[in-house]
Amino acid sequence: MSDGFLIALMAAAVRMAMPILYAALGGLFSERSGVVNIGLEGMMLVGALGGVIGSYLSGSAWVGLLVAMLAGGLLALIHAYFSITLKVDQVVTAIALNILAIGLSSFLFRGMFGITTIPVTVDGFSNYPVPVLSELPGIGQILFNQNILVYLGLLLVPVSWFVLYRTSLGLAIRSVGENPKAADTLGVNVVLIRYGCVIFSGMMAGLGGSFLSLGQFNMFVDNMVAGRGYIAVAAVIFGKYRPGGILVAALLFGVADALQVRLQAMGADIPYQFLLMLPYVVTILALTGLVGRNSAPAASGKAYARE
Amino acid sequence: MRVQVRGFSLWNAPEWVWRLLLSLLALFMAFALGGILLISIDVNPREAYSYLLLGNFGSVYSFTEILVKATPLMMTGLAFAFAYRTGLFNIGAEGQMYMGAIGAALVSLKLTGLPGWVLIPLALLTAMLFGGIWGGMTGFLKVKFGANEIITTIMLNYIALYFLNYLITDPLREASGGYVQSDTIAEQSFLPVLIPDTRLHIGFLIALAFIVIFYLILWKTPLGFQLRAVGFNRHAAEYAGVNVSRNLVTAMAISGAFAGVAGFTEVNGLLHRLIDNFGVGLGFDGIAVALLGNANPFGIVVSSLLFGLLRVGANAMQRGVGVPANVVYIIQGLTVLFLLAVNVLMPRIMRLVEQKRTQRPTTGERRLSA
């Protein structure tokens, strides 16, 4: 393999990791506050559509981004209401939302643009090479000749870490996820924190979805998220519920994805499907604790009721 | 005290009648909200819904299509419901179905020398075995390592999907090498068609038989009693001497075997070969089917028929009024959401019913239910 191939591969891997990274960082906050969010898939999907609609109507991809966050956040609000207020099972709620999102996104898309065979393309985010840094050999192409959403995503990793581990808000979030009763006793508003985290996770998933529609394809296609939301859920677990770990997990999925695209294109006689399976296998191994300790928040998935 | 009410009164109806009414209410609300959405894009909901609900009663063929679509949904619905009754979430029916399809296809492709009456049952059993192993693996990982079954089943869905894709790209690729699919399976392994000139095959009856099997296992065997005890209260069951770990693995294996049958009916009854990604969404739809059917075998029959109807009706609606067929997913998702909300209200409603029944509400209770 030549250097050029490797650099192009890694640059593509970083790009492909981004939708997963965004959604997984959002999912991290939701999980850390004790709410399982399998609904990331649906929230990404409405985000992907929201991005296209916003960009189409305003002509600005930035407005698209805002609409995407709003759409993801709204779906997350429903998830929060059902799982926190009504205390309904979080998994079942999320699955219903994912089914709803498939229908809703397709419906709204057709409602706006009619049934058309010509894809509606919109303004997206094009590459913005960082001055000086993008000139660096190798790494410059991989990390610094990307679109602005890539930089933002990478930046959010340390920011998430800082918020979770160095602020009182982060402490409150983590305590609510580990022991809501104790947190409540200490005056932390469990319901408010959980609502906030779930809605934030939806906004981030919406961003991740709009990365697909505005940062990669510049259009919306039915069900275009295609399981990336579930991968994001896996990335949170595989990343051991830490921002840095999640980045590594998202990149692993990105590399596997980018590599298989290239292997297929080259017609290489390698069963690339096993490569695609790898991240899922590793996630299962992470779950079993065979690769390090299982580190899920103690109150994950449990609704909180004051006695 | 004299019994006050003579003849039929709703207040005397058993709990399941109330559940049924509330399920219908959830469905109605989903349709109503869907109707509002249709109005918002200038589509007459009455017209659209008449296509959706009645569009497939025009001909024998279109009616049988409902049953064709309901068949795999019934099986994936049973798969979810079985695990659910044991207190487990099997989100992996889709992967288990793919494994079942692989098992059925392997038998039906390779053992071409066997007569149909041997080959078909063998394909069914292999599908159940493959699906059962795939499901049982999740159970094993849960009891042995504490791995959350929700995530493992989702991961195993993808692994199964890629495995299927690998098989038909390379080792099982059709001899001509044209498409990414397998050869046609042996003709004698095709499931017999029930009504000539339709696609309705005996897989539908097989699925109905599994409805009965589901009921018999859970309510008429000691194993089923134990499984339900584990589902009801895992710790109490353990205290009563039930081997919870073994029961969890068994439940997931049986659940996976049910889903495997869906793979068998699709391959041997409908597709007659392995195709990539053939059952996309069937796993999640099965969850909706099971929830709407209250994880009850009879309920699953009704709800899978309803979802089958919606699925084919959606195409009629798309042709008729130009509404994208995916709209049924809105109705499906909303139904489950409303159902969940209604279930939250259920205990309160039953308390109210209880009061009406006794006709002697104490003030304290009345305040509670208000």
Side-chain angles (χ1 to χ4, degrees), chain B residues 17-101:
Chain B
V17 172
W18 283 94
R19 265 192 193 285
L20 183 69
L21 283 176
L22 291 172
S23 297
L24 289 175
L25 178 69
L27 258 178
F28 177 77
M29 291 197 299
F31 271 94
L33 204 55
I36 293 172
L37 282 174
L38 287 172
I39 292 171
S40 78
I41 59 160
D42 295 326
V43 171
N44 180 349
R46 268 185 61 178
E47 198 186 346
Y49 283 160
S50 71
Y51 275 110
L52 181 64
L53 298 174
L54 307 172
N56 281 86
F57 291 98
S59 70
V60 176
Y61 180 84
S62 54
F63 174 71
T64 54
E65 278 299 295
I66 298 172
L67 310 183
V68 170
K69 288 274 190 278
T71 303
L73 285 175
M74 219 180 278
M75 292 315 304
T76 52
L78 282 181
F80 181 81
F82 197 88
Y84 190 68
R85 287 275 176 189
T86 324
L88 291 167
F89 279 105
N90 180 7
I91 314 289
E94 201 152 316
Q96 292 142 15
M97 176 185 73
Y98 286 134
M99 292 312 282

Side-chain angles (χ1 to χ4, degrees), chain A residues 172-237:
Chain A
I173 292 171
R174 285 182 293 132
S175 61
V176 164
E178 288 297 334
N179 193 339
K181 203 170 185 176
D184 194 6
T185 316
L186 293 173
V188 176
N189 189 334
V190 175
V191 169
L192 186 70
I193 293 273
R194 285 192 169 174
Y195 259 87
C197 284
V198 173
I199 291 169
F200 176 72
S201 76
M203 292 166 73
M204 290 287 279
L207 255 177
S210 69
F211 187 95
L212 286 173
S213 62
L214 296 178
Q216 276 177 298
F217 303 115
N218 291 0
M219 61 166 124
F220 178 80
V221 183
D222 274 348
N223 209 2
M224 71 186 298
V225 173
R228 286 181 182 85
Y230 294 114
I231 297 177
V233 175
V236 175
I237 296 160

